[in-house]
Amino acid sequence: MPKRVDHAERRTEIAEALVRVAGRRGLHAVGMRDVAAEAGVSLRLVQYYFETKEKLLLFGLRHLAERFGERVAARLRAAGDHPGPRAMIEALLMAALPTDEESRTFHHLYTSYAVLAVNDPTLAAQPFIKDPDAAEAALHGLLQQAQESDLLRPGVDSRTEAVGLLAMSAGLGTSILVGQRTPDSATAIFEYHLNRIFGPGPGISAGSASPLP
Amino acid sequence: MPKRVDHAERRTEIAEALVRVAGRRGLHAVGMRDVAAEAGVSLRLVQYYFETKEKLLLFGLRHLAERFGERVAARLRAAGDHPGPRAMIEALLMAALPTDEESRTFHHLYTSYAVLAVNDPTLAAQPFIKDPDAAEAALHGLLQQAQESDLLRPGVDSRTEAVGLLAMSAGLGTSILVGQRTPDSATAIFEYHLNRIFGPGPGISAGSASPLP
DNA sequence: AACGTTGTGATACGAACGTACCACGATGGT
DNA sequence: ACCATCGTGGTACGTTCGTATCACAACGTT
C-alpha cells in the first residue's frame, strides 16, 4: 500500500510501543512480538526496522532519555526565570520524580536499563554517564547563579549540593516507585533542603506538603 | 548417599549460588540450570528444594536482604558507641554504598528485584517497604539521640534528614554502580552533609576524600 | 526384613523466544 | 514498460527455558 516510508519516524513509533508495553509489563517481560502487537505492525516489521532486539532496546533507551530530557526542559521553561533560580531548581528536581504515569514509566524503565548496563557495557556510555553529568552541570549552574546573586546561605558548596540533590531525587524516585513513599513526602523533603540552601522563601505550589505521613 | 538433609541449610546454599551467579551475569540472565551448576547440584535438586523459580527468587531476595542487614549491623557494632552517634551514622550510610564486591552485588541485585517488584506485587512487601522503613527508623533514632545530646546544629529536622540521607545513599549507590561516580566522591558528599548537620568534627577514616574528581 | 518416605539423577515436554527464510505487491528510476 | 529495490506478510527453525515425569538408591520405622 504505502510507497516510501520515513524510517526514522517508523522507528520512533516502534520504540514508543516498546516503552509503552515495557512500562506496563516490565522490560524483562517484553519480547519482539509484544512490541509488534503494541505498535500494530507485524513481527517482521520490527525486525525490518531494527534488525536485532539489542538494537531495538538500545534505540528505546536513547529515545526514552531524549523524551525525558525534553520533558524536563519544558518544565524548566514553564518555570520561567521570573521567580528566580529557586523555582527552576524546584522544577528540575520535581520533574525527575515519578509523579504521573509518564515519569513513573521513565523511572521504571530507566532503572531497568541501568541494571542491564551493569553487565552490558554497550548500554552504558551515553544515557548513564553523559546525561546525568549534564543534569548535574545544569543544577550546578543554577546553584552557582543563585550564589552569585547572594541568594544562598553562606557555606553552601554548590557542586556538592547539586550532586547530593540529584542523588536524593533518584533515591526518592525509586522509593516512590516501589510504593514505600508518596510523591508528597518527597516534595516536602525537597522543600526542607531548598529552605536550608536558600533562605526561607515562598514554598512549592503543588501538593499538600504535610510534614511527613 | 546422604541420609537426612537439612533443608534450610541446603536452600541457603542454593540461594547463595543464585546470588553469586546473578551478581556475575545479571538477575535477568539467570536460569534454574545456572543456579544448579553454580551450586554444584543437579537441576532436579533446585526444583526439589524450591518447587518453582518464583519461590527461588523470592527466597533469594529475602536471603539477600537478611545477609545485608547483618552486614550493616556488624559495621554498626564495629563503629561502636565510643566516638558518638556521628560515627554510627557514617557507618550506616557508608555500609549501603557499593564499595566492595559484596555491597556491589547487593546493590545490583536489590535494584533488579526492585524493578521486578514494580510489576509483581508478590515481591514488594517485606524487603522494599519494611526494611527501608527500619533503616529509616534506625537513622532517625541516631539523629534524635545526637540531637538530645545537643550535637546537632539548630534547625535540623532529624526525620527529614534521615529520609533524605538514605535516599541520597541509594541514589549515589546507583551512580557508583553504573560507573558515573566513584565511591570516594560519594564519601565526600556524605562528609559535607554530616558536617552541615553536626558541627564540624573529626572526618571519615576511609578514602582520600578529595573535593570532587 | 519389609516398606513407605526422602533425596537424587536423567530426561522429556511444551511453550516462547529471537532470528532467518521465502514470497510477493508496490514503487520509482530509466 | 521494465526491473531492481523497498516494504511487508507469513512462517519455519533452532535454542532455551521452566516444569513434569520416570526411575531408583538410601534411609527410618515397624
Side-chain angles (χ1 to χ4, degrees):
Chain A
M1 319 114 114
K3 32 181 168 187
R4 236 35 165 227
V5 178
D6 184 346
H7 270 224
E9 185 181 348
R10 194 76 98 137
R11 284 164 64 92
T12 298
E13 282 173 19
I14 295 177
E16 281 178 353
L18 163 67
V19 168
R20 279 197 303 274
V21 66
R24 230 180 300 128
R25 301 211 284 263
L27 189 62
H28 66 285
V30 173
M32 305 278 277
R33 287 164 176 84
D34 303 291
V35 176
E38 175 74 22
V41 300
S42 75
L43 168 61
R44 180 66 181 87
L45 275 228
V46 180
Q47 281 190 266
Y48 183 71
Y49 290 102
F50 304 90
E51 278 137 64
T52 178
K53 187 187 183 182
E54 191 185 351
K55 292 179 182 169
L56 169 61
L57 288 178
L58 202 84
F59 187 87
L61 170 58
R62 282 203 297 260
H63 180 69
L64 186 71
E66 184 186 318
R67 291 258 300 173
F68 187 69
E70 291 165 5
R71 178 191 156 112
V72 173
R75 291 234 190 165
L76 278 185
R77 233 177 293 115
D81 255 356
H82 306 73
R86 170 161 178 166
M88 305 260 302
I89 293 174
E90 280 176 355
L92 182 63
L93 293 173
M94 299 294 300
L97 287 184
T99 50
D100 56 11
E101 208 47 38
E102 188 184 358
S103 51
R104 255 191 86 84
T105 298
F106 171 78
H107 251 274
H108 178 193
L109 296 189
Y110 191 76
T111 307
S112 301
Y113 275 113
V115 166
L116 293 186
V118 172
N119 297 108
D120 180 2
T122 309
L123 279 292
Q126 177 76 9
F128 294 114
I129 310 285
K130 277 210 156 70
D131 289 353
D133 280 351
E136 183 183 314
L139 181 52
H140 181 209
L142 287 171
L143 282 170
Q144 271 186 318
Q145 177 184 332
Q147 201 162 36
E148 285 160 10
S149 306
D150 254 340
L151 292 173
L152 300 194
R153 287 228 172 93
V156 169
D157 182 318
S158 58
R159 183 135 187 81
T160 304
E161 292 287 359
V163 175
L165 284 173
L166 284 176
M168 238 179 56
S169 173
L172 289 173
T174 304
S175 300
I176 294 171
L177 209 56
V178 299
Q180 190 218 350
R181 196 167 302 287
T182 71
D184 268 12
S185 85
T187 301
I189 291 169
F190 279 141
E191 176 115 7
Y192 170 88
H193 281 279
L194 290 179
N195 280 340
R196 150 179 91 66
I197 295 174
F198 290 79
I204 280 179
S205 53
S208 63
S210 52
L212 264 183
Chain B
M1 312 135 75
K3 32 182 170 187
R4 236 38 164 227
V5 178
D6 184 345
H7 270 225
E9 186 180 347
R10 193 76 99 146
R11 284 163 64 92
T12 298
E13 282 172 20
I14 295 179
E16 280 177 354
L18 162 68
V19 167
R20 280 196 305 273
V21 66
R24 228 180 302 129
R25 300 211 285 261
L27 189 63
H28 67 284
V30 173
M32 306 278 278
R33 287 164 177 85
D34 303 290
V35 176
E38 175 75 20
V41 300
S42 75
L43 168 62
R44 179 66 180 86
L45 277 227
V46 180
Q47 281 189 267
Y48 183 71
Y49 290 102
F50 304 90
E51 278 136 63
T52 178
K53 186 186 184 183
E54 191 185 350
K55 291 178 184 171
L56 168 60
L57 288 177
L58 203 83
F59 186 87
L61 171 58
R62 281 203 298 260
H63 180 71
L64 186 71
E66 184 186 319
R67 292 258 299 173
F68 187 71
E70 290 166 5
R71 177 191 158 113
V72 173
R75 292 233 189 166
L76 277 185
R77 235 177 292 116
D81 254 354
H82 306 74
R86 170 162 176 165
M88 305 260 302
I89 292 174
E90 279 176 356
L92 183 63
L93 292 173
M94 299 294 300
L97 286 184
T99 51
D100 57 9
E101 207 48 38
E102 189 184 357
S103 51
R104 255 191 85 84
T105 298
F106 171 77
H107 251 275
H108 177 193
L109 296 188
Y110 191 76
T111 309
S112 301
Y113 275 113
V115 165
L116 292 186
V118 172
N119 296 107
D120 180 1
T122 309
L123 280 290
Q126 177 76 9
F128 294 114
I129 310 285
K130 276 209 157 72
D131 289 354
D133 280 351
E136 183 184 312
L139 181 52
H140 181 209
L142 288 171
L143 283 170
Q144 269 186 319
Q145 176 184 333
Q147 201 162 34
E148 285 161 10
S149 306
D150 256 340
L151 293 171
L152 301 193
R153 288 227 170 92
V156 169
D157 181 318
S158 58
R159 184 135 186 81
T160 304
E161 293 285 359
V163 175
L165 284 172
L166 284 176
M168 239 179 57
S169 173
L172 289 173
T174 304
S175 300
I176 294 171
L177 209 58
V178 300
Q180 191 219 349
R181 196 166 303 285
T182 72
D184 269 12
S185 85
T187 301
I189 291 169
F190 279 141
E191 176 116 7
Y192 170 87
H193 281 279
L194 290 179
N195 280 340
R196 151 180 89 67
I197 294 174
F198 290 79
I204 280 180
S205 54
S208 61
S210 53
L212 264 183

